[in-house]
Structures are given as C-alpha cells and as structure tokens.
Amino acid sequence: LTGEGIPGPPAAAVVTVGDELLMGESVDTNGTWLAQALARVGLAVVGRWVTGDVPSEIQRTVRSALDWAEVVVVTGGLGPTPDDRTRESVADLLGLALEEDEELLERLKGRFRARGYGHLPEKSRVMALVPAGGGVLPNPLGAAPGLVLETPEGRLCVLLPGVPAEMRAVFLDGVEPFLRFRFEDRLQGVVHRVIHTAGIPESLLMTRVEELLAEGSHGVSLAYLPDLLGVRLRLTARASREADDAEARLTRVEDRLGPLLEQHGYQAETGDLAETVGRALLEGEETLAVAESCTGGLISKRMTDLAGSSHFFRGGVVAYANEVKSGLLGIPEEPMMREGVVSEWTAKAMAEAVARKLQTSVGLGVTGIAGPGGGSPEKPVGTVWYAVWHQNRIFARRELFLGDRSAVRARAAHATLWMLLRVLEGKDP
Amino acid sequence: LTGEGIPGPPAAAVVTVGDELLMGESVDTNGTWLAQALARVGLAVVGRWVTGDVPSEIQRTVRSALDWAEVVVVTGGLGPTPDDRTRESVADLLGLALEEDEELLERLKGRFRARGYGHLPEKSRVMALVPAGGGVLPNPLGAAPGLVLETPEGRLCVLLPGVPAEMRAVFLDGVEPFLRFRFEDRLQGVVHRVIHTAGIPESLLMTRVEELLAEGSHGVSLAYLPDLLGVRLRLTARASREADDAEARLTRVEDRLGPLLEQHGYQAETGDLAETVGRALLEGEETLAVAESCTGGLISKRMTDLAGSSHFFRGGVVAYANEVKSGLLGIPEEPMMREGVVSEWTAKAMAEAVARKLQTSVGLGVTGIAGPGGGSPEKPVGTVWYAVWHQNRIFARRELFLGDRSAVRARAAHATLWMLLRVLEGKDP
C-alpha cells in the first residue's frame, strides 16, 4: 500500500467497539458516519469491523484491521468503566506503555469540579492515560480525548470516544485536519454536492431531472435520498489526479438543473431548511413569532436550534389546549369553534395573533391532527392547516400529511417553514 | 472451539457485503439484526464485518471470519447483477465448484413466468448455482435462495440474500431451525435488562453500583451505555445449561441496586424520560404548562411527541425575547432585570406564571445561556436555571451544562424533566 510508485489514496478501516453493537442491540451508526467521513476526506475505505468489549477480541480485530489498512479508526471503549478496554488493549497490542498526561489530568479534574461533582474519582484517571508517543486530540464535548498512535511500520491507529456527538466532534476538529496534513497529495476525494429539495415527491423529481439532463451528465452520478422531510439529490464526481475538474463538472450539472432548483431547491450547509429560513429572516431584518398546536413546539425548537436565533426569533406559543388559543393569543372563541379548531380561519388567526402579540413582522400558525387519535372522516389524522402572516399579507394551505404522529408533526413543521421561505423570497408560496 | 471437553456455545460471526454499506451510505441494519438473532438462538457472536463488492475483499473477509468463528453468516451479493459476487467468491475460497441446481432453476423460471416477465434472463441463471455439497434454503420472498456450506474443518458458512425482508425470512425459516438442530445442547441464550438513569455521571454511577454489588453479581455482567442525556445500565446473564435461572439472577441484581435506582433510575419502554413523566402526570391527574427560554420549545416538543399528550399538556410559551417574558407571561420587568434574566428568580417566576396563565397544576420554567454567544465570566455558556412549580410549591436549580449549543439545550430539557419526575414522585428533587 505504501511506497510503490505513485501511491493511491491511503486505505482506511473502521473498528467500532462495544458488546451492545456486536450483539446487535444498538445500530452501528458511528461506523457508518466514520466510513462516510473518511471517504469524504479522500481515503479508500476497505473494511469495517464491529467487536466486543473483550481485550483479546479488540486486539485481534485491530491487528487484523492494521494488516488491511494504513489508517485504522477505532471508536468506543475509552470511558472510565470496567467495560472500557480499548485504550489499554490497543496500547498493549502495539507494545506502548500507558503514561499519565499531566495536562489531560488537570483538564479532567477541572471538568469534574465545574460540574460540581467534587474530586475526580480514582477510576476516571484512566482517561488521562496516553500510550507512549501518542498524540492527544481534545474532546470538546466530553471527558475522554481521542488518541493518535503510530505503529513501527508507519500505520496509524486513531482511537475515538464512542458517544456519537463526541466521536464526531473529535473527528472533525482533530482527525480530519491531521489526515489532510499527513496525506496531503495522496487523498483522492470523491466530491459530492447535495441539493436539498422540498415540495416535490421523489418520482416527479427524478422525471424532471432526467428531462433536464437528457443530453448527458458529464460523468456525474446522481442519487436520490428521500427522507421524511424531502428528497436530497446527491451529485457525485470522482476527482481525477491529473486535472481536478470534478467541481467544474458538478457545477455544470447543477446549472442545468437550475429551473428545477429555482422552484424546489434550497441551500443549507447543514441540510436543515431552518438554516435557510433563518438566513432569509436575518437578511430581510424580519422578526419571527410562532403559534403551534399540533407541532407542539417543534417549529420553535427547530428555529432556536440555530446559533444566533435571538436576532430574529422573539418567541412562540404552544397552544395545545383550545383555551390557550383564546386565552394567551386572544383569538375569539365563537368564530374559532364555528370555523373549527383545525381550519383555515384558525391557522390564519393564530399566525396573525402571535405576530401582533409579540410585535414581529412574521407570524406562523399551525393547527392540525397529528394522531393517532382525533381524526374524523372530514378531517382525518394528518390534516393540517398552516399559515404565514407577513406584514399584513397572509397565506394559508391545507395538507394531508401521511405517516405516524411523529412523521405528521415533522412534515407539518417542514411545510410551514417551506411556505415561509417562499414568502420571504417573494415567490409564489 | 470444538471438541475440547464440554464445548461452549458455538462462536458466530456476521459478514455483510455491499459497497453502499462499506462506504457508509446505508446503515448496516442487516448485520445488527443477524447479530441479535444469532445471540437469541444461543450462539456467541464474536465479530462483525462489513466488506465491499470486490471478490478478493469478500474472500479475505470470509476467510478471516472463518478463522474466528464456527458459524459465519454472510449477507448480500447473491442477486443477478454484476456487483453480486458473493456466491462465486465464497465457492472459490472454499474450493467448491458451482453446479446448476435443476429444481432451483425450475423454481426460478416458474417465478418469472408467474410475474409475467416471460423467459428467465440469462443473467438470472446464476441464482440457480449451488456450490458442490451445499444445502439450499428456500427464499419465500424473493429469487435468490440461501446456501449452507461446510468447510473441511466442519465450520459452517451460510450465505443469505441482502434484501432485509428476504434475509430475515430465510434466516427464520431455514437457518434458525438448522442451527438449533445442529448445535442442540451447545446453545446458550443471553438475557438482557436495561435500566435508565439520570442525574448521575457514569463514573459515580459505577462507584455506587460496585458498592452495592460488592458481594458479587451472580454471574450477571454489567455495561454502562452513556449518551448526552444519561447512562443506561445494561445487565446481562447467560442462561446456564443446567437450570435456566438467568431471569432470577437479573432480578436479584436489580433488587440489590434498589437504593440507587430509587434515586436515579426510571422505567421507560422507549427509553425516553418524557414517557415516564407523561405517565406520572396522567396517573396524578396533573396538567402541565411550560415556559422555555434557552430550550426554545424543546421541552414542549418532547412532551407532545407522546401520543395522548393532550390529556395532560395544555401549552407552552417560548419566551425568547425578554419582552415575551414580561408581555405574554406577565412577569414584572423591574425585578427580572434586577435579578437577571438567567436567575433563580426568573426561572421560578416563569414556572409559576405559565402555570397560572394556563391554569395547570404544574409549571416549568427554564432560562439559560445555550451559546455559542451570550456567556460571561459569572454566567458562562451552559449556565441554566430551571424550576418546577407544583401546586404552590416551587423548586429550582442552577447547573452548568457542558457541550455545544445543542448539547446544552438537550441536557437542560432533560434535567428539567428529571426534576419534574422527582417532584411528581414525591422525592427530593
């Protein structure tokens, strides 16, 4: 794999450690994420393993993985409990003595104090142990840091914590920059571009895409990735080492898809429509208030997931009981009961009332039947009315969302944000 | 592994084949399912692999798995397309010639006719090929059957189709009965029990558990499974062959952990604390209202995720801007600004105000700094005050939650629900 003429991209393997993964009690999402991340950086993923918490099995697996790959990423088993055996097992396998790292120990102690737990328990000290010569990758979200070890043959063994958010953070902050530096000119990225779409089902999207790309797709392959909230369209081009025109080819294809994207696409780095909506609100110096019934706080939650949302989000009312709609929002009860709690009138009244109460330029109102109970022949489970009030203009739509309670809620929140984006962009909502 | 005194349960390994799995574009749910199924039947799962569609890598992986385990189950790559290479690769590895099975071929042809597709395409004939001496496991849901091969050393290699429903059907109809027959008295089932905990970090939990189990754990092994919101404690007992008292031993250990569980454990089928809180609210005929600042709707969202939440959840206010705290909730501005928006006084005022406004028996108030901005030396990012108002009693706590914005929000919501549960259960919050 190394040193023969022009070396190809480094081979990488992923090992996830944990009895609960091995026995199938948890799904190995860490392994999936890491394989994707390594491929994105430009390594060639050649194998994945799942192993239990037993040192001899960890060692056998890591040994095997190091035979196959130049870079082995191991996740899980770095914590302080007796079933966390990865650190010692791998150190032992590689013949490296474990040494206590002063700085790391101080950081652990500080962490414990900061949380008000008093002294660091004796057992937690293992998290300050570093195999001789190993590099430490700080963990911004938890106690156990990542570790980078090198074998005498120059292969790399990276140990990461198993808590998914921590694993991802240590990879992105520490491992990825390190791999980019170390393998610089050998990385051979598969370049992806993901286009997010909303308001169009997969089969129609595919038909439209095929029409627009009838003349060819410039060696760019397409994948349709549907989920509850929409369909992501993934464009993939493999970077050639001679001339890296992969990005240019992707752009050519994206340009050809222009008319479709104008109508159904949105740009979001995180893939979250809320990000796009937040940006549009900021740019338009708009302020937002939300009145939710069936979505029960989900829209407010999605908007306040965004850092800096206090610049545009003022507040919301979760009007679950009818008395809250009339009481807190001041919606008159008589017309609401006449028109129906799930109705165009009520959705519009909620959107306008919350905007006026909270003195914002935009108000959202959502009312519907998320199920499993509460449906009727005229208004079956999944029926949702949603409305956008924007500076004295108002828009509303009724939809029947399919799926279970959580799907209906997720889709209703998404559709409401999509309508808001269209309104803010001055397009036909 | 075999033939040495009384042999233990047969070691099993799972190999899933597919580029999309290896590269992390699909999650390996087949591997998870098979591992669970094998453990349930009573084999000892010792390793799992994911490999790509390349014959040499399939062979290397299966070879490796056969070194480790007496039973290797391979799934994927048995279909008719060019990237289906498992059958030929494994036959070649084991030195077995592929022979066309007459009966299988007739069944395939009949299947094709029955679906109105006319003649069996030439390429589909590969699905009638069986390695010499191999057993055929009918596929009730699809075209490609499962295959059972035996190595000269008496190890078993089972090949299953990769379509999840087909894989499961062939396993349940063919593989499981075969394994039960073949290994009869060597099978040894594994029984699990999961205990959810909150409000205690992993290392302290472990110390407490070790104290409580100082006299021994009755052959029950323990695993600590931490995530952002708490630590799950998993008890595992292996059924002994003499008398299957595994459940009794689990109960004995759970009883010994009683004092700890009384303080930090909760029962939730879904594992979600909101479920437990919802049940407690229903049982106590309580009603809930929520006033959230930094959690931005997350608590309302979590409570209304539950079907039937309208029986106890009346509504919430997302008081993001200060004017919403004073305006909608009627919290007097002067003391709030004096005590601080993030303060015990404000959290308590929010909890009480929302309960009175919405006429509920319980009110929650949460105010804090989720970050990344807004921190100060006295109130760093992660500082959260949360309060529970319950029928004229009020409780509040300040915590410093670590992690990024989303971790702080998730932890603050969880801690608030945990305090609420303690209050509802009449325990010291």
Side-chain angles (χ1 to χ4, degrees), chain B residues 164-303:
Chain B
E166 300 180 17
M167 183 276 296
R168 290 192 296 262
V170 176
F171 185 92
L172 295 173
D173 293 359
V175 181
E176 178 167 342
F178 175 75
L179 293 174
R180 289 198 187 278
F181 174 77
R182 168 109 175 196
F183 295 107
E184 221 188 336
D185 52 354
R186 288 176 57 199
L187 300 176
Q188 215 177 328
V190 173
V191 193
H192 294 298
R193 205 169 288 180
V194 174
I195 296 168
H196 304 281
T197 72
I200 182 168
E202 186 178 7
S203 48
L204 284 188
L205 178 67
M206 187 173 68
T207 309
R208 294 283 311 273
V209 166
E210 283 176 355
E211 285 163 14
L212 291 167
L213 298 181
E215 287 164 38
S217 61
H218 308 286
V220 170
S221 63
L222 284 89
Y224 300 83
L225 310 173
D227 66 20
L228 272 185
L229 302 182
V231 183
R232 283 169 300 148
L233 181 62
R234 191 190 54 206
L235 312 181
T236 303
R238 200 167 269 282
S240 61
R241 264 170 298 153
E242 297 75 41
D244 188 349
D245 64 342
E247 288 288 354
R249 282 181 286 134
L250 288 177
T251 302
R252 223 171 309 154
V253 167
E254 207 172 336
D255 288 347
R256 293 268 294 285
L257 297 177
L260 178 60
L261 302 188
E262 169 73 14
Q263 218 182 333
H264 292 288
Y266 62 91
Q267 298 274 339
E269 259 178 60
T270 55
D272 184 359
L273 177 59
E275 176 202 318
T276 320
V277 170
R279 202 169 50 223
L281 289 166
L282 263 184
E283 282 168 6
E285 297 182 24
E286 309 274 1
T287 51
L288 177 65
V290 180
E292 311 183 56
S293 176
C294 62
T295 49
L298 179 54
I299 297 178
S300 292
K301 187 255 171 203
R302 282 190 65 185
M303 293 311 299

Side-chain angles (χ1 to χ4, degrees), chain B residues 6-46:
Chain B
I6 303 168
V14 176
V15 175
T16 46
V17 181
D19 278 347
E20 76 286 3
L21 298 164
L22 178 60
M23 310 283 282
E25 283 156 38
S26 306
V27 176
D28 177 26
T29 51
N30 276 356
T32 305
W33 190 91
L34 279 170
Q36 268 186 331
L38 289 164
R40 184 176 40 77
V41 172
L43 289 86
V45 180
V46 296

